[in-house]
Amino acid sequence: MNLPNFSSNPRSNTILWIVVAAVAILAGGVLIGAFTPAVLPPAASAEGQQVDDLFRFMLVIGGSIFLLVNGVLVYSIVRYRARPGDRSDGVPLSGNSTLEFTWTIIPTIIVLILTVYSWQVYTNITSVNPNERVIEVVGQRFAFAFNYDITLNDLPDGVTQDQLPENIRATFDAGDAVRFSSAQLHTWVGQPMLMQMRTEDVNHAFWIPAMRVKQDMLAGRQTEVRFTPTEAGVYRIVCAELCGSGHGAMAGEVNVSGDLIGAWLIVHQDEATYQREFFAPNAQQALFPPEDPALLGRQILASNRYPCAACHVVTDLGWNGVTGPNLNNVGNRAATRVAGQSAHDYLYESIRLPGAYLVPGYGNLMPQFNPEPDQPNYMPEEDLEAIIAYLLTLAEN
Ligand code: CUA
């Protein structure tokens, strides 16, 4: 290949070409760094901005190295190709200390810079923020549940302490918070969040792509993740650890009628909107649970405190799971399954001891829900009875 002559001095020619190539390579790296992040969802958290800046910086370096290595490769293939009839070997080459020193020291410096920068970002995004709001996240095959504490300070407007039902008052008197669950995580712009996460069964991973946070949820351990949303909106939450047959469904999705189901992060514009749209109505329901057990059971299931929606179909609740039995009309079927067993007892056993009776042709995929708080998949007796009462109403006449 004949390069155009910039000067009559071949040495300054080479230097000029190296400079031109270096500028082109760096410019290419900057272009790669500038445009690749466009494939990601826009960052909607303070942490996301820092993560994206780091990612862009790495792309500039990685992109430049990519262009350098491939540029040299392509140049060598063309420049040093075998000419027709040339059957000779190449020139024998051995050690070049300057070259070896250079290609050791430059990557070392790059890696050191990246280490310090990454460590800085990591400590920034994991450090404690003032006024953090703590939400307990529970992962369970195949759903997330978010638990919200209600304290005496957050009683909805117009509700006084002495209006509360007996058992709720007793909970407050004991110094405990009353809580409610939701399949969705709600907060507002600018509120620093701390997720305290645990799993009831296998490992899961909590991932909100738009917030740029992802953290494993490990069996037997509590893990944490922090983020501060900067944009109001609705963002998908995804399980990022293969956790079984329903792993793909352990996320937020939009069903055919356009409803959000499963795990979503909903960031309200401000705290007042959050209170009005989400917290107050849910707190009201939790503080004054319906007395009719079937209505209470419906409320419990709709809250996603238990991960039933991921597997079962209940049209009344908008569930469209695919791995478990369809529960529409289960009230009719339950009485006919096992001779001598009432519909109530059949449903009771199906939840407490799901392996005791299996409909012929089906395997046991149902988790066992246990009666004691220290057991995994804890479901108190009163929740179970309310759920059964509701399921029994799912019957055709
Ligand atoms: Cu939970 Cu995958």
Side-chain angles (χ1 to χ4, degrees):
M1 197 158 79
N2 285 318
L3 303 176
N5 258 349
F6 286 103
S7 113
S8 51
N9 178 349
R11 191 181 161 80
S12 62
N13 236 349
T14 311
I15 291 175
L16 188 64
W17 269 105
I18 289 176
V19 171
V20 170
V23 170
I25 283 168
L26 264 179
V30 170
L31 282 179
I32 292 173
F35 287 107
T36 311
V39 302
L40 304 173
S45 69
E47 295 72 14
Q49 221 50 61
Q50 300 182 46
V51 172
D52 281 9
D53 288 345
L54 171 62
F55 181 50
R56 225 169 266 132
F57 183 69
M58 287 177 156
L59 279 171
V60 171
I61 293 178
S64 302
I65 293 174
F66 172 84
L67 291 175
L68 171 67
V69 169
N70 285 282
V72 170
L73 186 67
V74 170
Y75 174 78
S76 305
I77 289 171
V78 176
R79 176 84 172 76
Y80 301 108
R81 69 189 184 279
R83 301 307 198 277
D86 180 0
R87 316 287 286 175
S88 65
D89 272 342
V91 190
L93 290 173
S94 70
N96 182 328
S97 311
T98 319
L99 208 52
E100 285 174 25
F101 183 75
T102 313
W103 78 42
T104 306
I105 203 76
I106 292 179
T108 307
I109 292 171
I110 292 176
V111 169
L112 280 176
I113 292 173
L114 286 179
T115 306
V116 172
Y117 186 8
S118 309
W119 180 253
Q120 239 174 21
V121 172
Y122 178 75
T123 31
N124 280 349
I125 67 176
T126 51
S127 58
V128 181
N129 294 305
N131 307 318
E132 280 178 342
R133 218 162 64 91
V134 180
I135 299 285
E136 184 189 52
V137 184
V138 183
Q140 206 168 3
R141 295 195 289 176
F142 298 101
F144 294 103
F146 301 96
N147 294 328
Y148 299 80
D149 283 352
I150 311 168
T151 66
L152 279 176
N153 297 327
D154 330 292
L155 295 184
D157 282 348
V159 175
T160 60
Q161 214 170 322
D162 37 277
Q163 293 171 335
L164 297 172
E166 193 92 12
N167 57 333
I168 300 279
R169 235 177 332 175
T171 308
F172 281 129
D173 288 345
D176 294 332
V178 175
R179 52 177 24 183
F180 65 86
S181 304
S182 169
Q184 295 168 351
L185 174 58
H186 288 249
T187 184
W188 62 92
V189 172
Q191 172 58 48
M193 302 293 289
L194 167 59
M195 307 287 106
Q196 289 186 333
M197 311 192 288
R198 62 184 172 84
T199 155
E200 287 284 347
D201 39 46
V202 299
N203 292 354
H204 302 274
F206 177 81
W207 181 28
I208 315 178
M211 299 292 135
R212 305 290 193 265
V213 290
K214 178 153 77 174
Q215 172 63 52
D216 283 346
M217 305 169 79
L218 302 170
R221 261 166 67 179
Q222 182 180 276
T223 53
E224 291 184 343
V225 79
R226 294 184 156 84
F227 64 92
T228 307
T230 51
E231 302 282 339
V234 178
Y235 307 99
R236 200 160 177 256
I237 301 174
V238 182
C239 177
E241 180 76 50
L242 185 60
C243 52
S245 57
H247 161 71
M250 195 166 167
E253 83 179 278
V254 179
N255 72 9
V256 279
S257 33
D259 303 323
L260 300 181
I261 51 176
W264 293 88
L265 164 65
I266 293 155
V267 180
H268 299 271
Q269 196 53 253
D270 49 39
E271 185 175 1
T273 318
Y274 163 85
Q275 287 289 347
R276 189 180 62 242
E277 306 277 321
F278 175 71
F279 191 84
N282 278 283
Q284 184 79 28
Q285 272 199 342
L287 294 172
F288 300 96
E291 279 177 20
D292 176 348
L295 287 180
L296 178 61
R298 187 182 190 283
Q299 181 179 314
I300 291 171
L301 289 182
S303 79
N304 258 55
R305 188 182 318 164
Y306 304 104
C308 321
C311 300
H312 294 283
V313 174
V314 176
T315 307
D316 178 42
L317 295 170
W319 294 359
N320 56 1
V322 288
T323 43
N326 182 325
L327 297 179
N328 290 333
N329 309 327
V330 72
N332 286 337
R333 293 196 311 269
T336 64
R337 288 294 191 209
V338 180
Q341 201 173 36
S342 69
H344 169 279
D345 292 356
Y346 179 78
L347 292 174
Y348 186 97
E349 186 184 78
S350 301
I351 296 171
R352 282 283 188 245
L353 283 174
Y357 169 80
L358 294 176
V359 175
Y362 292 91
N364 185 16
L365 294 174
M366 169 86 178
Q368 172 171 326
F369 289 87
N370 295 304
E372 299 300 331
D374 56 346
Q375 290 175 298
N377 291 319
Y378 169 52
M379 181 187 282
E381 199 70 8
E382 59 269 26
D383 282 13
L384 176 56
E385 289 298 344
I387 289 169
I388 294 172
Y390 169 68
L391 290 178
L392 289 173
T393 67
L394 299 178
E396 267 175 3
N397 298 317

